[in-house]
Amino acid sequence: IRFGKPCIKGTRTSVYDVLSWLASGMSVEDIISDFPQLTKEQILACCTKELPDEKAGCPYEFVLIVILIFFAKSYFQIVSQA
């Protein structure tokens, strides 16, 4: 836990940080490039983690929007490659 927010095990990187990066448009590969201590599995696990409550400073709506953006972006990358 860092500043009251859950962190990825073995790192000081918070789940909220990863979700913020994804929401800002960073790809999983971009995040790994900037933070090589993170794995693709850890980043994806942030999207499937139990939704935090508002008391943790990360409202449900934000998490849902991040997840939708992430999967929409992945879908369009797959479609454009076909």
Side-chain angles (χ1 to χ4, degrees), residues 11-59:
T11 73
R12 302 263 309 140
T13 305
S14 75
V15 171
Y16 181 82
D17 289 338
V18 173
L19 294 175
S20 296
W21 297 329
L22 290 170
S24 73
M26 287 181 77
S27 68
V28 173
E29 293 76 20
D30 293 335
I31 295 171
I32 292 170
S33 175
D34 289 351
F35 303 92
Q37 71 273 21
L38 300 178
T39 66
K40 181 177 182 177
E41 292 76 21
Q42 289 173 315
I43 294 167
L44 295 178
C46 292
C47 295
T48 60
K49 187 166 179 58
E50 181 180 318
L51 295 176
D53 61 20
E54 300 230 13
K55 292 178 187 169
C58 187

Side-chain angles (χ1 to χ4, degrees), residues 72-82:
K73 187 175 173 184
S74 298
Y75 171 78
F76 287 114
Q77 285 176 348
I78 292 168
V79 170
S80 67
Q81 293 174 358

Side-chain angles (χ1 to χ4, degrees), residues 59-75:
Y60 294 116
E61 294 83 7
F62 176 78
V63 175
L64 293 174
I65 290 169
V66 169
I67 291 169
L68 288 172
I69 291 170
F70 175 76
F71 286 108
K73 187 175 173 184
S74 298
Y75 171 78

